[in-house]
Each structure stands twice: as structure tokens, then as C-alpha cells.
């Protein structure tokens, strides 16, 4: 039987009830990979007239997690950031996302300053998903036309998160709109 968005949302809900730890999020990533492998899901949500930018496909009324579709209209390379007290699972639906994971080298004692070093980079292609827990620092780059599905522990636009500038060696804490890329 085909795996659907509704079945995935129920699975994610049940997993988070049973195991709200990072291990549960890894289970969600594997389920998201199964969903993204479904041609029926891709045809329904990621082909044809797909609204650009960020669309909430599902919000869990009890746990508050969200399933989002990000349809990107322009090439983009983002800055390193974390997910504050929340988390996200990223899974690729169309084209690819290049993910870079960063290590923080300083001890955080100097306000507004941060020194980062690239740890690893890899490409998410259709059907591949990864988990990015609260303090994990990462940045993404993608081409125009890329579409990915994110599951976030809560509405990340309401969560204070750290955003880094590796050229200036700075860090700011902010709440911000996340990956709209609709009008670019
Ligand atoms: Fe992120």
C-alpha cells in the first residue's frame, strides 16, 4: 500500500509520543525517506503548480510539530545556523540540497563572537533525510527548483536560534522567518 502524508504524520506523532529523544527523530527521518520514495507523494505535493516558498502541510494539534514543504525558486546558499531548543528533519523531494555541518571552536564566552570550522559536507538527493538537533550547526545550499520536506519539532519561526557569520566571526540570536525564498 502506498505510504501517504497522512500515514507519515500519524507515524511521526506515534514515534514522538513513544520516544521524544534524538533517537525518535532518526526514526522519523527513516519514515520521511520512505515517504519521499513514493511517486504518489511526489506527484501530489511536489510536481505541477507547487506554491513557492514555505507551506505548512501538517501541524500536529497535540505535539505542535510541523511538516513543511519548501519549494525554492532561486539558487541560494544559506548561513550556518542552529535550531535553538527545537530540531528539524530535512528530506529531499526534488533536485538536491548540499548540507554542511560546522564545529564551533571558541568557548562562547565572548558575546557576539564565534569561530566555526567546517566539519563535513554531503548532498541530500531525493529520498535522503537527515536530523539536525537543537545545537547542531549547519548550513544549506540548493539550486532553483529544489523542493524539500522538513519536519520541525515546533514552529521554528517562534524559536530563538543562533545565526553565524563565518567571515566576520560573529553570532546573533534571533527569531526569524525560515527559508521563504519565494520572491527572490
Ligand atoms: Fe536548519
Amino acid at each position: 500500500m502506498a505510504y501517504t502524508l497522512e500515514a507519515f504524520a500519524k507515524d511521526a506523532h506515534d514515534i514522538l509520543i513513544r520516544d521524544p529523544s534524538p533517537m525518535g527523530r532518526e526514526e522519523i527521518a527513516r519514515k520521511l525517506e520512505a515517504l519521499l520514495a513514493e511517486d504518489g507523494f511526489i506527484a501530489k505535493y511536489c510536481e505541477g503548480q507547487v506554491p513557492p516558498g514555505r507551506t505548512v502541510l501538517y501541524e500536529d494539534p497535540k505535539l505542535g510539530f510541523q511538516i513543511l514543504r519548501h519549494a525554492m525558486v532561486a539558487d541560494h546558499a544559506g548561513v550556518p545556523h542552529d535550531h535553538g531548543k527545537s530540531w528539524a528533519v530535512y528530506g529531499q523531494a526534488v533536485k538536491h540540497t548540499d548540507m554542511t555541518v560546522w564545529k564551533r571552536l571558541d568557548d562562547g564566552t565572548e558575546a557576539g563572537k564565534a569561530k566555526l570550522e567546517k566539519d563535513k559536507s554531503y548532498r541530500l538527493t531525493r529520498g535522503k533525510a537527515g536530523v539536525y538537533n537543537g545545537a547542531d550547526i549547519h548550513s544549506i545550499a540548493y539550486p532553483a527548483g529544489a523542493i524539500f520536506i522538513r519536519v520541525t519539532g515546533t514552529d521554528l519561526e517562534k524559536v530563538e536560534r543562533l545565526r553565524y557569520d563565518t567571515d566576520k566571526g560573529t553570532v546573533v540570536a534571533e527569531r526569524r522567518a525560515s527559508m521563504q525564498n519565494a520572491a527572490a
Side-chain angles (χ1 to χ4, degrees), residues 55-77:
T55 303
V56 179
L57 299 180
Y58 175 84
E59 179 165 340
D60 194 84
K62 183 168 173 199
L63 303 178
F65 72 86
Q66 294 183 321
I67 302 172
L68 308 167
R69 176 187 58 213
H70 296 271
M72 304 328 220
V73 299
D75 296 353
H76 181 72

Side-chain angles (χ1 to χ4, degrees), residues 7-19 60 63 65:
F8 170 67
K10 182 175 186 312
D11 282 343
H13 177 100
D14 292 348
I15 289 166
L16 289 171
I17 295 273
R18 174 166 48 76
D19 183 359
D60 194 84
L63 303 178
F65 72 86

Side-chain angles (χ1 to χ4, degrees), residues 123-134:
R123 178 166 286 189
L124 295 172
T125 53
R126 180 182 163 188
K128 295 259 185 314
V131 179
Y132 305 90
N133 290 305

Side-chain angles (χ1 to χ4, degrees), residues 104 106-115 162 168-173:
R104 187 164 176 171
D106 64 303
D107 61 7
T109 50
E110 197 177 346
K113 298 282 185 199
K115 191 163 166 39
L162 298 178
K168 294 184 187 147
T170 56
V171 57
V172 289

Side-chain angles (χ1 to χ4, degrees), residues 5-60:
L5 175 67
E6 294 71 26
F8 170 67
K10 182 175 186 312
D11 282 343
H13 177 100
D14 292 348
I15 289 166
L16 289 171
I17 295 273
R18 174 166 48 76
D19 183 359
S21 80
M23 297 287 287
R25 298 164 203 164
E26 289 291 344
E27 277 189 66
I28 290 174
R30 302 292 81 79
K31 295 282 185 188
L32 180 56
E33 289 181 338
L35 182 66
L36 292 165
E38 283 284 352
D39 290 338
F41 172 78
I42 298 294
K44 184 169 179 183
Y45 291 98
C46 303
E47 289 176 351
Q49 296 290 322
V50 179
R54 170 187 181 275
T55 303
V56 179
L57 299 180
Y58 175 84
E59 179 165 340
D60 194 84

Side-chain angles (χ1 to χ4, degrees), residues 81 83 90 138 150 161:
H81 63 276
H83 292 146
Y90 288 69
H138 58 283
R150 279 201 312 165
R161 299 188 282 153

